[in-house]
Amino acid sequence: MTRSSMVAAASALLLMAPAAAGAGEGASGWLSGDWYLTVGVIGLVAPNFEGSKKYLLSAQPIISLGKAGPEARFSSRNDNISLALVDDGHVRAGLTGKFLWGRDNSADELKGLEPVKWGGEAGGFFEFYPTDWMRVRSEIRHGIRSHSGVVADFAADAFYDVTPDVRISGGPRLSLATAKYFDAYYGVDAAESAASGLSEYHPGSGLKSVGVGGAITWKVTDPMTASLFGEYSRLMGPAADSSLVKERGSPDQFMIGVSTSYRFDFSM
């Protein structure tokens, strides 16, 4: 997938937002109705940074705000904040966004490299259910501040309800990105090479990673959910070829963690 086609797909979904609002009662009419705010925390063991061979125990917040609509039949911790503009129970599409934490150069492996600023990604998502027990989802997002590239994520999850409150799920993952994303996280220019000791590296666009993930989710109460999850991904293409990964990191990336969240419903 080229950068131009990725941007075109994301732009098409973004352009749906004004049309959806115009079809109703304007911005004020769209804001009225039922909304939800989900807050929680994730505790996980994961690489110190993407591409690292060292692992770190950390915690991350869960914050999601959206307008209530038909309840999705399946959701994953990999899903970023989403607003469905199309939802007929079998197909959902709309807007999505992701917050990106910054990456400083305090780790020994990153000494001499330029820090990556905190920022985000914004774009669109599309998902469908080929069967009653599987969901396929894609997200295409453009970087804001942290990088100026485009990232495309694809996932397929099979799910099964062991009990009405306990669900197991899992499936494959695939991610692609453009050169500007890879340059922010994996590139090493001449000045950085001299300062860090890493070989100079100028990445192109391509496959970022392939992997698999799974989770056990428990609906403690109607608004409260807890989960245990694990993932493995193998860095590929421009990411795996980076001198940061080859000389100081690892292409094999593991993650395991637990999360709990609580949903608050309100009306406007």
Side-chain angles (χ1 to χ4, degrees):
M1 179 179 287
T2 65
R3 177 192 171 101
S4 59
S5 62
M6 292 165 75
V7 172
S11 299
L13 282 170
L14 286 168
L15 289 172
M16 294 168 64
E25 301 174 1
S28 60
W30 183 82
L31 286 172
S32 64
D34 296 326
W35 288 73
Y36 67 87
L37 172 66
T38 300
V39 296
V41 64
I42 299 173
L44 73 163
V45 177
N48 190 26
F49 58 87
E50 192 173 83
S52 176
K53 63 181 178 181
K54 296 181 180 179
Y55 285 75
L56 180 71
L57 174 64
S58 62
Q60 298 176 0
I62 298 173
I63 303 175
S64 179
L65 174 67
K67 192 172 186 181
E71 184 176 358
R73 285 190 279 168
F74 175 81
S75 62
S76 164
R77 65 166 297 276
N78 300 94
D79 300 349
N80 290 298
I81 299 173
S82 303
L83 175 62
L85 303 177
V86 176
D87 188 345
D88 68 359
H90 297 283
V91 173
R92 300 177 75 238
L95 308 179
T96 187
K98 179 180 182 178
F99 178 81
L100 298 176
W101 300 98
R103 189 190 75 182
D104 60 27
N105 56 7
S106 59
D108 291 339
E109 307 97 305
L110 300 172
K111 296 291 186 183
L113 298 181
E114 286 293 321
V116 178
K117 300 176 181 178
W118 66 266
E121 294 170 347
F125 79 94
F126 175 82
E127 65 182 41
F128 69 97
Y129 295 84
T131 71
D132 289 337
W133 47 268
M134 177 176 285
R135 188 201 67 169
V136 178
R137 179 180 170 105
S138 63
E139 293 187 11
I140 302 177
R141 307 178 306 274
H142 193 286
I144 302 169
R145 196 171 188 265
S146 296
H147 66 89
S148 55
V150 177
V151 178
D153 292 333
F154 303 88
D157 286 276
F159 52 92
Y160 175 73
D161 293 331
V162 181
T163 73
D165 298 322
V166 177
R167 169 176 286 179
I168 57 174
S169 61
R173 314 277 186 256
L174 183 146
S175 183
L176 303 94
T178 59
K180 289 188 176 180
Y181 169 87
F182 287 119
D183 186 58
Y185 288 93
Y186 294 97
V188 182
D189 63 24
E192 290 175 313
S193 177
S196 68
L198 290 167
S199 302
E200 191 170 344
Y201 179 65
H202 300 281
S205 303
L207 183 62
K208 175 174 173 276
S209 65
V210 295
V212 63
I216 302 173
T217 305
W218 175 32
K219 190 173 183 179
V220 183
T221 63
D222 181 50
M224 185 175 183
T225 302
S227 69
L228 169 67
F229 61 87
E231 292 192 11
Y232 164 75
S233 64
R234 173 82 178 182
L235 297 179
M236 306 290 285
D241 292 338
S242 171
S243 55
L244 176 61
V245 176
K246 282 188 170 183
E247 297 172 17
R248 296 182 183 172
S250 171
D252 297 306
Q253 306 283 284
F254 297 89
M255 179 189 302
I256 187 169
V258 295
S259 70
T260 182
S261 62
Y262 193 93
R263 187 189 76 248
F264 297 92
D265 298 317
F266 62 97
S267 298
M268 294 182 65

